[in-house]
Structures are given as C-alpha cells and as structure tokens.
Amino acid sequence: MLRTPATSMLRNSLVRSAPAARRAESTVAASASHAISKPTLANIEKRWEGMPLQEQADLWMALRDRMKGNWKELTVQEQKAAYWIAFGPHGPRATDPPGTGAKVFWGVMAGLGASFGIFGLIRAFANPAPHTMNKEWQEAVNEKLIEQRADPLTGITSEHYKGPGQVQSPPKGP
C-alpha cells in the first residue's frame, strides 16, 4: 500500500454515508479492471486544488487500486496523475505565494530595528560606567598585584608575562 501524506490526509477527511460508500466501492471495483477515463485525468495539475475533497479521494483511491495491479497496465496519464497527486506541489508541499520572501525580509528588518531601538533606549538611560573601569584604577590594581606577587605561574608576576594585566580598553559610553 502506498502511504503518503496526501493519502492519510484524504483518508482522514473522508466521511462517507452509506450510499456514497457503495458508489465509491462500485467505482473502485470498476476502476481496478479498466483504465480511468482520460477526461478525468486531463489537466489534473490545474484542477486538483479546485476539486471537492470527496472527488479527490475517489480519484486517489481509484488510482491506488489500479496501482495494486500490474504497473505495465497503467496508462501514461494514470502514471503521471498518480505521481503528481502523491508528490506534486499542493497541500503541504505547495510553494509559497509571491511576495512571501519580501514579507519575511521586512519582518526581520522591523525586528532588528526594534531591537536596536530598545538597546539604544536602555543605553541612553543607563548609569555611567563604574569608577573601577577607568585606566588609572586598573593600572593601580596591576601594581598592587605585582606587589603581592599574585599568580606567579601564569599571571602578571610570572617571568614571561607580556599581557596588559587588569587594564582593559576604556569603556565607550555617554
């Protein structure tokens, strides 16, 4: 049995009454022995979305029953229709409508603009940098660490240390 998202979606959407079920059984029984008519399969790509769900289900079930037999007996139109119904760009595989990319782009730009705006607003009303962030304070901390011989293996008082110690680049701010 061929299981695709289209078959499970159609199977779940079918709610048949007794007369409709009998009519479908007779269609399936008849379709298993002979080919589906050409007008039924003509332009299926263009007509599929507009077809009622019941008609879509009946056509898919008839094609499925035809595919249970010898595939060499399928007509080219039946093969194309079965492939298109199973894997065509409809339902969950439908392509995005035109303009979707632009909507996504402008939505992302609006989100980034709002983020930068909020960031700027927060920075505008933020407290100034702490007094320990100025260069003089950090140099004084370096001298204190050297006096105390702090971290003699890898730190500022080691033999081959060439780093800035506690001195960082001065903060940028208001």
Side-chain angles (χ1 to χ4, degrees):
M1 178 187 293
L2 180 64
R3 295 189 188 267
T4 63
T7 59
S8 61
M9 180 180 68
L10 289 173
R11 187 175 296 122
N12 291 338
S13 66
L14 289 178
V15 177
R16 296 185 182 177
S17 62
R22 274 189 245 114
R23 185 177 65 238
E25 288 171 6
S26 66
T27 305
V28 169
S31 66
S33 62
H34 63 82
I36 300 172
S37 67
K38 288 184 179 185
T40 304
L41 299 175
N43 286 332
I44 193 70
E45 300 88 9
K46 294 177 183 166
R47 294 184 305 117
W48 184 258
E49 292 292 325
M51 290 172 66
L53 285 177
Q54 182 65 42
E55 194 174 333
Q56 288 178 355
D58 290 342
L59 179 58
W60 175 245
M61 296 301 171
L63 281 170
R64 188 193 64 184
D65 291 339
R66 288 276 297 149
M67 289 187 292
K68 285 181 182 177
N70 187 354
W71 280 43
K72 292 180 181 178
E73 294 175 5
L74 292 176
T75 65
V76 174
Q77 265 192 323
E78 287 174 330
Q79 292 172 4
K80 287 180 181 179
Y83 179 82
W84 193 88
I85 291 171
F87 303 109
H90 54 83
R93 293 174 303 279
T95 57
D96 292 331
T100 303
K103 287 181 184 177
V104 169
F105 175 77
W106 289 114
V108 169
M109 289 298 119
L112 285 173
S115 299
F116 285 125
I118 291 171
F119 177 76
L121 189 64
I122 289 172
R123 291 286 292 179
F125 292 106
N127 291 332
H131 66 282
T132 58
M133 290 301 292
N134 64 29
K135 192 168 185 167
E136 294 81 25
W137 184 281
Q138 293 168 356
E139 288 171 350
V141 170
N142 275 351
E143 291 171 14
K144 184 78 167 175
L145 289 173
I146 291 171
E147 286 174 18
Q148 293 176 348
R149 302 263 318 137
D151 197 8
L153 299 176
T154 60
I156 194 167
T157 58
S158 65
E159 293 178 27
H160 303 290
Y161 184 77
K162 294 184 176 26
Q166 299 296 312
V167 177
Q168 301 176 6
S169 59
K172 298 174 182 137

